Amino acid sequence: MAEVTQTKPESSFGMRHVIIFLLFLSTVTSYATRVSMSLAIVAMTKPNEHGFPVFEWEQSVRDTILSSFFWGYIVLQIPAGMLAGKFGGKMLIFVSMLITGIINLFTPLLATQGDWIAVCVCRILMGLAQGLLYPSIHGVIGQWAPLSERSRMGTIVYSGSQLGTIIEMMVAGWLSESIWGWPSVFYIAGVTCLVFSVLWYIFGASTPGTSRWISKEEKKFIELSAGATDISEQKKVATPWKDIWTSLPFWAILLAHCGQSLGFWTLLTEMPSYMDKVLGVAIKNNGIYSALPYLAMYILSFVFSWSADFLINRSILSHGTTRKIFNTIAFWGPAAALLGLSYIPAGHVPLAVAMLTVTVGLNGAHYVGFLISHIDLSPNFASTLMGITNGCGNIFSIMAPLSVTLVVKDEHSASEWRKVFFLSVGFYFLSNLFFLLFYSGTIQPWNEPKLKRNIEDGMNEKEDKTSNEMKRIGDEKL
């Protein structure tokens, strides 16, 4: 660490911060487009004063639409991770956001022409496009984030999902009841994605070595401290599949990701419906109340990230112990709060919103828990690991809205929704228990590319042959 500290650039701001900010904007924008349907679908199925189309969709149809995004999302996770690991994430992120923007612009038109089936197709295609995003982002963070700044940078990037959720929940409800109606929710999301795509294409880069804007001093600092191999070497490196799938620390991250996906997306996709059906909150206030928990998550995530970096950089706690502590806060804290929430009688809006705020706010600790742990295990294969865990985790994201359809028979009954909350509590508890038992914060042996070891072995062998040959020639001359 001392050597890395000496090479740290004198300037406190560098190209790595620009990259992290752009990645932050990508998660803000992408999550806003995901969440938009959760709010817009409420407006799309209610009469309005401005003559916009109203769809008579039952709860099962609404839940199918909400879950259809994940049908496409899980497909490209692992391929995207492998592509990002070998070729870098710049173009994958660009393509992902570009397609997402175009689909959003056409969603209102296709909804009126093809009803819910067309909307599902749009959501599936958008899921396919965004399936490229998170594995690519994880790989770019692994290349750009120095070890001493990793927790903070990871949190900044991924907290964008909460800010995107907050913005969309507050703005979508207002837009839906304005003179522009629910179609404006999708138009604004589409334009925003296209603007980001242009910015990323100009300033984005997969690695410090491929950036034309970075200084030599900062490039050297990042390459010495990030612990990742350059993309040009990665192209020739085989993914250590057997080592990955037999690694208990990796399984700990995988199961934690699955537990997080089910619990979080149950709340995210169904909270507006819960507010509407059980608590009787008007659509304008629905967005504001639904956004409050994510505002708490956004703010607390920075408190957690700075605390984690402080504990690690001061050598107070190891990487592994720090990740376990914050993952426990993120999982068992919300589990306890959800238990309390499930017994709040219908009609107690302030208390219910307060409990939801605690539930989601504490969950912000998962950014410095399991979510950044892929890079701790293997900076070189972080994008591949993220592709696997995000793909598997989002199978559970599909189950989130569908579980409500199966469990909740009376949408206005608080006791029916209680069963949904119990399911989330169980997954939060068990997945974190496995994480506590088996996660390790150390870089795994299989992180080191075999190519590098083979080159070193080959050079040593060549040196031995050269030495023996010179010795033979010397003996002959003698």
Side-chain angles (χ1 to χ4, degrees), residues 360-378:
V360 180
L362 291 176
N363 191 241
H366 82 276
Y367 293 125
V368 287
F370 82 87
L371 193 61
I372 202 70
S373 299
H374 311 70
I375 303 174
D376 291 338
L377 293 188
S378 176

Side-chain angles (χ1 to χ4, degrees), residues 397-447:
S397 299
I398 296 174
M399 293 169 55
L402 296 180
S403 66
V404 176
T405 302
L406 295 174
V407 174
V408 178
K409 303 303 179 184
D410 181 3
E411 299 172 14
H412 301 276
S413 172
S415 61
E416 292 286 292
W417 284 89
R418 188 176 302 148
K419 299 173 186 177
V420 177
F421 295 149
F422 282 168
L423 185 64
S424 297
V425 167
F427 271 85
Y428 270 141
F429 180 81
L430 293 175
S431 58
N432 185 62
L433 181 62
F434 193 91
F435 189 84
L436 289 175
L437 293 175
F438 297 109
Y439 176 70
S440 168
T442 58
I443 292 181
Q444 301 299 293
W446 40 268
N447 172 68

Side-chain angles (χ1 to χ4, degrees), residues 328-344 355-356 358-360 362 421-422 424-426 428-429:
T328 300
I329 294 172
F331 280 50
W332 287 359
L338 269 176
L339 282 176
L341 175 66
S342 63
Y343 286 99
I344 294 176
M355 292 302 292
L356 281 169
V358 172
T359 301
V360 180
L362 291 176
F421 295 149
F422 282 168
S424 297
V425 167
Y428 270 141
F429 180 81

Side-chain angles (χ1 to χ4, degrees), residues 173-296:
W174 175 78
L175 285 174
S176 296
E177 294 217 335
S178 70
I179 59 174
W180 301 290
W182 59 261
S184 62
V185 174
F186 300 101
Y187 293 142
I188 290 176
V191 171
T192 306
C193 287
L194 296 182
V195 171
F196 169 81
S197 300
V198 174
L199 290 174
W200 177 254
Y201 188 81
I202 296 171
F203 297 105
S206 300
T207 66
T210 57
S211 173
R212 56 177 174 167
W213 308 99
I214 194 172
S215 67
K216 292 182 179 179
E217 186 184 18
E218 185 186 13
K219 178 175 175 287
K220 182 179 180 182
F221 165 64
I222 295 172
E223 290 177 344
L224 285 174
S225 58
T229 302
D230 191 78
I231 292 296
S232 59
E233 285 189 47
Q234 288 267 105
K235 291 181 181 180
K236 303 176 183 178
V237 176
T239 304
W241 292 111
K242 181 180 178 181
D243 293 324
I244 290 173
W245 287 110
T246 55
S247 170
L248 278 176
F250 167 71
W251 276 97
I253 298 174
L254 176 62
L255 294 179
H257 208 145
C258 293
Q260 166 67 15
S261 295
L262 181 70
F264 181 77
W265 279 96
T266 297
L267 292 174
L268 185 63
T269 57
E270 299 300 334
M271 191 183 295
S273 297
Y274 175 77
M275 293 280 186
D276 180 40
K277 304 296 184 183
V278 177
L279 301 179
V281 179
I283 186 170
K284 280 186 178 179
N285 295 330
N286 193 331
I288 297 172
Y289 283 144
S290 297
L292 282 176
Y294 300 98
L295 178 61

Side-chain angles (χ1 to χ4, degrees), residues 2-24:
E3 184 181 352
V4 174
T5 304
Q6 290 173 1
T7 61
K8 189 170 184 178
E10 294 180 5
S11 175
S12 58
F13 182 83
M15 194 59 203
R16 67 188 185 281
H17 301 106
V18 175
I19 295 294
I20 293 301
F21 177 70
L22 288 173
L23 294 178
F24 162 76

Side-chain angles (χ1 to χ4, degrees), residues 35 39 162-171 268 271-272 275 284-298 353 357 360:
V35 177
L39 264 293
Q162 305 317 314
L163 186 59
T165 301
I166 294 165
I167 293 171
E168 195 66 23
M169 283 188 164
M170 296 182 70
V171 173
L268 185 63
M271 191 183 295
M275 293 280 186
K284 280 186 178 179
N285 295 330
N286 193 331
I288 297 172
Y289 283 144
S290 297
L292 282 176
Y294 300 98
L295 178 61
M297 187 177 187
Y298 180 70
V353 171
T357 302
V360 180

